[in-house]
Amino acid sequence: AQSVTQLDSQVPVFEEAPVELRCNYSSSVSVYLFWYVQYPNQGLQLLLKYLSGSTLVKGINGFEAEFNKSQTSFHLRKPSVHISDTAEYFCAVSGGYNKLIFGAGTRLAVHP
Amino acid sequence: NAGVMQNPRHLVRRRGQEARLRCSPMKGHSHVYWYRQLPEEGLKFMVYLQKENIIDESGMPKERFSAEFPKEGPSILRIQQVVRGDSAAYFCASSQREGVDEKLFFGSGTQLSVL
């Protein structure tokens, strides 16, 4: 069975500081991994995804993530955050086609 | 090109009533997915439908919940005899084709509150 664990429920950070949101997964089949962002009162938007190839994946809004098979991790990073990055971030693994298994989410709060 | 449209945005029901949630996928999309988000939790898959077919309903509760995606019109998630535990945000997503590399577009959700 596949599962996703997001290790931090909340991450406070100051504007222009770097941030890392942690995600560990468990999967017995081919691994396809995703990061989504949810702004207040909105649906989820895809930030980036790993399907195959390079383990460093670049996404929108300056985010990137690294797939680490040996550590079963897919951590999300941004070198310098902005106030507008304040949102909830979800890591997900594919359970086949577009059936996604989501983590519980990490609330990123960027302070001035 | 409008995105995935869900309505209503907020739905209040008393225990025992029926709730009907609607989802119009993006134009040209024939694959629809319903997810439920309980407070402080991530989204949980409920059901995957293509036009007139239920492909995977492994995440649907066995009773009171049903979904359809008719040939014409929106997809409907129906909850009969709602209980307080059904209070959640229900999200619909659509894609043009099946496949993990197909981009999934989410609606803004329907917040169901059961009194």
Side-chain angles (χ1 to χ4, degrees), chain B residues 17-35:
Chain B
Q17 291 184 319
E18 178 179 287
R20 279 181 174 246
L21 288 63
R22 294 175 184 76
C23 168
S24 296
M26 285 187 69
K27 188 177 180 180
H29 287 194
S30 58
H31 300 256
V32 165
Y33 311 79
W34 284 94
Y35 287 82

PDB file of all heavy atoms in Angstrom, chain B residues 17-35:
ATOM      1  N   GLN B  17     -30.893  14.954   5.923  1.00  0.00           N
ATOM      2  CA  GLN B  17     -31.224  15.494   4.604  1.00  0.00           C
ATOM      3  C   GLN B  17     -30.266  14.951   3.550  1.00  0.00           C
ATOM      4  O   GLN B  17     -29.290  14.270   3.848  1.00  0.00           O
ATOM      5  CB  GLN B  17     -31.154  17.026   4.633  1.00  0.00           C
ATOM      6  CG  GLN B  17     -32.245  17.665   5.468  1.00  0.00           C
ATOM      7  CD  GLN B  17     -32.206  19.185   5.389  1.00  0.00           C
ATOM      8  OE1 GLN B  17     -31.136  19.806   5.418  1.00  0.00           O
ATOM      9  NE2 GLN B  17     -33.385  19.790   5.303  1.00  0.00           N
ATOM     10  N   GLU B  18     -30.557  15.304   2.313  1.00  0.00           N
ATOM     11  CA  GLU B  18     -29.705  14.891   1.202  1.00  0.00           C
ATOM     12  C   GLU B  18     -28.832  16.065   0.760  1.00  0.00           C
ATOM     13  O   GLU B  18     -29.266  17.206   0.791  1.00  0.00           O
ATOM     14  CB  GLU B  18     -30.563  14.423   0.020  1.00  0.00           C
ATOM     15  CG  GLU B  18     -29.753  14.008  -1.203  1.00  0.00           C
ATOM     16  CD  GLU B  18     -30.633  13.528  -2.343  1.00  0.00           C
ATOM     17  OE1 GLU B  18     -31.178  12.421  -2.247  1.00  0.00           O
ATOM     18  OE2 GLU B  18     -30.743  14.273  -3.349  1.00  0.00           O
ATOM     19  N   ALA B  19     -27.622  15.755   0.340  1.00  0.00           N
ATOM     20  CA  ALA B  19     -26.719  16.772  -0.213  1.00  0.00           C
ATOM     21  C   ALA B  19     -26.359  16.379  -1.639  1.00  0.00           C
ATOM     22  O   ALA B  19     -26.040  15.215  -1.912  1.00  0.00           O
ATOM     23  CB  ALA B  19     -25.451  16.873   0.636  1.00  0.00           C
ATOM     24  N   ARG B  20     -26.439  17.364  -2.522  1.00  0.00           N
ATOM     25  CA  ARG B  20     -26.054  17.150  -3.927  1.00  0.00           C
ATOM     26  C   ARG B  20     -24.977  18.157  -4.292  1.00  0.00           C
ATOM     27  O   ARG B  20     -25.208  19.359  -4.216  1.00  0.00           O
ATOM     28  CB  ARG B  20     -27.250  17.333  -4.857  1.00  0.00           C
ATOM     29  CG  ARG B  20     -28.146  16.122  -4.935  1.00  0.00           C
ATOM     30  CD  ARG B  20     -29.302  16.340  -5.882  1.00  0.00           C
ATOM     31  NE  ARG B  20     -30.054  15.123  -6.032  1.00  0.00           N
ATOM     32  CZ  ARG B  20     -30.135  14.440  -7.162  1.00  0.00           C
ATOM     33  NH1 ARG B  20     -29.537  14.880  -8.249  1.00  0.00           N
ATOM     34  NH2 ARG B  20     -30.832  13.329  -7.213  1.00  0.00           N
ATOM     35  N   LEU B  21     -23.821  17.638  -4.688  1.00  0.00           N
ATOM     36  CA  LEU B  21     -22.694  18.485  -5.039  1.00  0.00           C
ATOM     37  C   LEU B  21     -22.440  18.334  -6.534  1.00  0.00           C
ATOM     38  O   LEU B  21     -22.397  17.212  -7.047  1.00  0.00           O
ATOM     39  CB  LEU B  21     -21.447  18.068  -4.257  1.00  0.00           C
ATOM     40  CG  LEU B  21     -21.392  18.378  -2.747  1.00  0.00           C
ATOM     41  CD1 LEU B  21     -22.483  17.653  -1.960  1.00  0.00           C
ATOM     42  CD2 LEU B  21     -20.023  18.033  -2.211  1.00  0.00           C
ATOM     43  N   ARG B  22     -22.237  19.463  -7.201  1.00  0.00           N
ATOM     44  CA  ARG B  22     -22.094  19.433  -8.655  1.00  0.00           C
ATOM     45  C   ARG B  22     -20.694  19.837  -9.085  1.00  0.00           C
ATOM     46  O   ARG B  22     -20.057  20.687  -8.458  1.00  0.00           O
ATOM     47  CB  ARG B  22     -23.110  20.382  -9.309  1.00  0.00           C
ATOM     48  CG  ARG B  22     -24.542  19.956  -9.133  1.00  0.00           C
ATOM     49  CD  ARG B  22     -25.508  20.986  -9.693  1.00  0.00           C
ATOM     50  NE  ARG B  22     -26.882  20.610  -9.423  1.00  0.00           N
ATOM     51  CZ  ARG B  22     -27.473  20.738  -8.239  1.00  0.00           C
ATOM     52  NH1 ARG B  22     -26.800  21.247  -7.210  1.00  0.00           N
ATOM     53  NH2 ARG B  22     -28.720  20.367  -8.080  1.00  0.00           N
ATOM     54  N   CYS B  23     -20.264  19.222 -10.168  1.00  0.00           N
ATOM     55  CA  CYS B  23     -18.940  19.516 -10.703  1.00  0.00           C
ATOM     56  C   CYS B  23     -18.991  19.532 -12.220  1.00  0.00           C
ATOM     57  O   CYS B  23     -19.361  18.527 -12.840  1.00  0.00           O
ATOM     58  CB  CYS B  23     -17.942  18.453 -10.242  1.00  0.00           C
ATOM     59  SG  CYS B  23     -16.357  18.510 -11.102  1.00  0.00           S
ATOM     60  N   SER B  24     -18.638  20.665 -12.799  1.00  0.00           N
ATOM     61  CA  SER B  24     -18.511  20.754 -14.248  1.00  0.00           C
ATOM     62  C   SER B  24     -17.029  20.754 -14.589  1.00  0.00           C
ATOM     63  O   SER B  24     -16.306  21.679 -14.214  1.00  0.00           O
ATOM     64  CB  SER B  24     -19.176  22.035 -14.766  1.00  0.00           C
ATOM     65  OG  SER B  24     -20.557  22.003 -14.529  1.00  0.00           O
ATOM     66  N   PRO B  25     -16.555  19.720 -15.277  1.00  0.00           N
ATOM     67  CA  PRO B  25     -15.124  19.660 -15.583  1.00  0.00           C
ATOM     68  C   PRO B  25     -14.730  20.711 -16.603  1.00  0.00           C
ATOM     69  O   PRO B  25     -15.579  21.379 -17.202  1.00  0.00           O
ATOM     70  CB  PRO B  25     -14.958  18.247 -16.164  1.00  0.00           C
ATOM     71  CG  PRO B  25     -16.301  17.893 -16.709  1.00  0.00           C
ATOM     72  CD  PRO B  25     -17.292  18.570 -15.812  1.00  0.00           C
ATOM     73  N   MET B  26     -13.452  20.853 -16.787  1.00  0.00           N
ATOM     74  CA  MET B  26     -12.952  21.775 -17.805  1.00  0.00           C
ATOM     75  C   MET B  26     -13.437  21.307 -19.177  1.00  0.00           C
ATOM     76  O   MET B  26     -13.652  20.114 -19.408  1.00  0.00           O
ATOM     77  CB  MET B  26     -11.436  21.830 -17.782  1.00  0.00           C
ATOM     78  CG  MET B  26     -10.885  22.620 -16.620  1.00  0.00           C
ATOM     79  SD  MET B  26      -9.108  22.838 -16.709  1.00  0.00           S
ATOM     80  CE  MET B  26      -8.966  23.947 -18.097  1.00  0.00           C
ATOM     81  N   LYS B  27     -13.552  22.232 -20.087  1.00  0.00           N
ATOM     82  CA  LYS B  27     -14.014  21.916 -21.422  1.00  0.00           C
ATOM     83  C   LYS B  27     -13.070  20.922 -22.060  1.00  0.00           C
ATOM     84  O   LYS B  27     -11.842  21.079 -22.020  1.00  0.00           O
ATOM     85  CB  LYS B  27     -14.063  23.204 -22.257  1.00  0.00           C
ATOM     86  CG  LYS B  27     -14.702  23.027 -23.617  1.00  0.00           C
ATOM     87  CD  LYS B  27     -14.778  24.350 -24.361  1.00  0.00           C
ATOM     88  CE  LYS B  27     -15.410  24.176 -25.732  1.00  0.00           C
ATOM     89  NZ  LYS B  27     -15.489  25.444 -26.482  1.00  0.00           N
ATOM     90  N   GLY B  28     -13.652  19.871 -22.618  1.00  0.00           N
ATOM     91  CA  GLY B  28     -12.835  18.858 -23.281  1.00  0.00           C
ATOM     92  C   GLY B  28     -12.344  17.754 -22.362  1.00  0.00           C
ATOM     93  O   GLY B  28     -11.713  16.801 -22.818  1.00  0.00           O
ATOM     94  N   HIS B  29     -12.632  17.869 -21.064  1.00  0.00           N
ATOM     95  CA  HIS B  29     -12.220  16.840 -20.117  1.00  0.00           C
ATOM     96  C   HIS B  29     -13.349  15.840 -19.902  1.00  0.00           C
ATOM     97  O   HIS B  29     -14.486  16.221 -19.620  1.00  0.00           O
ATOM     98  CB  HIS B  29     -11.851  17.468 -18.767  1.00  0.00           C
ATOM     99  CG  HIS B  29     -10.548  18.200 -18.790  1.00  0.00           C
ATOM    100  ND1 HIS B  29      -9.897  18.589 -17.629  1.00  0.00           N
ATOM    101  CD2 HIS B  29      -9.765  18.608 -19.809  1.00  0.00           C
ATOM    102  CE1 HIS B  29      -8.780  19.204 -17.943  1.00  0.00           C
ATOM    103  NE2 HIS B  29      -8.679  19.246 -19.265  1.00  0.00           N
ATOM    104  N   SER B  30     -12.994  14.551 -19.993  1.00  0.00           N
ATOM    105  CA  SER B  30     -14.014  13.522 -19.803  1.00  0.00           C
ATOM    106  C   SER B  30     -13.715  12.630 -18.602  1.00  0.00           C
ATOM    107  O   SER B  30     -14.371  11.612 -18.413  1.00  0.00           O
ATOM    108  CB  SER B  30     -14.127  12.663 -21.073  1.00  0.00           C
ATOM    109  OG  SER B  30     -12.871  12.082 -21.373  1.00  0.00           O
ATOM    110  N   HIS B  31     -12.713  13.012 -17.803  1.00  0.00           N
ATOM    111  CA  HIS B  31     -12.340  12.220 -16.632  1.00  0.00           C
ATOM    112  C   HIS B  31     -12.531  13.088 -15.390  1.00  0.00           C
ATOM    113  O   HIS B  31     -11.994  14.195 -15.315  1.00  0.00           O
ATOM    114  CB  HIS B  31     -10.891  11.756 -16.721  1.00  0.00           C
ATOM    115  CG  HIS B  31     -10.612  10.904 -17.918  1.00  0.00           C
ATOM    116  ND1 HIS B  31     -10.457   9.540 -17.831  1.00  0.00           N
ATOM    117  CD2 HIS B  31     -10.499  11.212 -19.230  1.00  0.00           C
ATOM    118  CE1 HIS B  31     -10.240   9.046 -19.044  1.00  0.00           C
ATOM    119  NE2 HIS B  31     -10.265  10.036 -19.907  1.00  0.00           N
ATOM    120  N   VAL B  32     -13.280  12.582 -14.431  1.00  0.00           N
ATOM    121  CA  VAL B  32     -13.600  13.345 -13.228  1.00  0.00           C
ATOM    122  C   VAL B  32     -13.263  12.533 -11.984  1.00  0.00           C
ATOM    123  O   VAL B  32     -13.508  11.323 -11.934  1.00  0.00           O
ATOM    124  CB  VAL B  32     -15.096  13.733 -13.210  1.00  0.00           C
ATOM    125  CG1 VAL B  32     -15.526  14.203 -11.822  1.00  0.00           C
ATOM    126  CG2 VAL B  32     -15.375  14.821 -14.242  1.00  0.00           C
ATOM    127  N   TYR B  33     -12.713  13.221 -10.993  1.00  0.00           N
ATOM    128  CA  TYR B  33     -12.306  12.589  -9.745  1.00  0.00           C
ATOM    129  C   TYR B  33     -12.911  13.396  -8.596  1.00  0.00           C
ATOM    130  O   TYR B  33     -12.908  14.621  -8.631  1.00  0.00           O
ATOM    131  CB  TYR B  33     -10.789  12.591  -9.583  1.00  0.00           C
ATOM    132  CG  TYR B  33     -10.043  12.087 -10.803  1.00  0.00           C
ATOM    133  CD1 TYR B  33      -9.850  12.897 -11.913  1.00  0.00           C
ATOM    134  CD2 TYR B  33      -9.542  10.789 -10.847  1.00  0.00           C
ATOM    135  CE1 TYR B  33      -9.186  12.443 -13.035  1.00  0.00           C
ATOM    136  CE2 TYR B  33      -8.868  10.325 -11.967  1.00  0.00           C
ATOM    137  CZ  TYR B  33      -8.695  11.157 -13.058  1.00  0.00           C
ATOM    138  OH  TYR B  33      -8.034  10.700 -14.163  1.00  0.00           O
ATOM    139  N   TRP B  34     -13.396  12.702  -7.589  1.00  0.00           N
ATOM    140  CA  TRP B  34     -13.893  13.373  -6.383  1.00  0.00           C
ATOM    141  C   TRP B  34     -12.978  13.010  -5.213  1.00  0.00           C
ATOM    142  O   TRP B  34     -12.616  11.846  -5.012  1.00  0.00           O
ATOM    143  CB  TRP B  34     -15.316  12.934  -6.065  1.00  0.00           C
ATOM    144  CG  TRP B  34     -16.364  13.546  -6.943  1.00  0.00           C
ATOM    145  CD1 TRP B  34     -16.891  13.022  -8.088  1.00  0.00           C
ATOM    146  CD2 TRP B  34     -17.035  14.795  -6.743  1.00  0.00           C
ATOM    147  NE1 TRP B  34     -17.844  13.862  -8.612  1.00  0.00           N
ATOM    148  CE2 TRP B  34     -17.958  14.961  -7.797  1.00  0.00           C
ATOM    149  CE3 TRP B  34     -16.971  15.789  -5.760  1.00  0.00           C
ATOM    150  CZ2 TRP B  34     -18.788  16.078  -7.915  1.00  0.00           C
ATOM    151  CZ3 TRP B  34     -17.806  16.894  -5.871  1.00  0.00           C
ATOM    152  CH2 TRP B  34     -18.695  17.038  -6.943  1.00  0.00           C
ATOM    153  N   TYR B  35     -12.651  14.062  -4.435  1.00  0.00           N
ATOM    154  CA  TYR B  35     -11.833  13.903  -3.237  1.00  0.00           C
ATOM    155  C   TYR B  35     -12.547  14.572  -2.073  1.00  0.00           C
ATOM    156  O   TYR B  35     -13.273  15.552  -2.245  1.00  0.00           O
ATOM    157  CB  TYR B  35     -10.462  14.569  -3.411  1.00  0.00           C
ATOM    158  CG  TYR B  35      -9.512  13.847  -4.324  1.00  0.00           C
ATOM    159  CD1 TYR B  35      -9.577  14.002  -5.710  1.00  0.00           C
ATOM    160  CD2 TYR B  35      -8.529  13.010  -3.804  1.00  0.00           C
ATOM    161  CE1 TYR B  35      -8.703  13.334  -6.545  1.00  0.00           C
ATOM    162  CE2 TYR B  35      -7.636  12.351  -4.638  1.00  0.00           C
ATOM    163  CZ  TYR B  35      -7.731  12.513  -5.999  1.00  0.00           C
ATOM    164  OH  TYR B  35      -6.851  11.854  -6.821  1.00  0.00           O
TER     165      TYR B  35
END
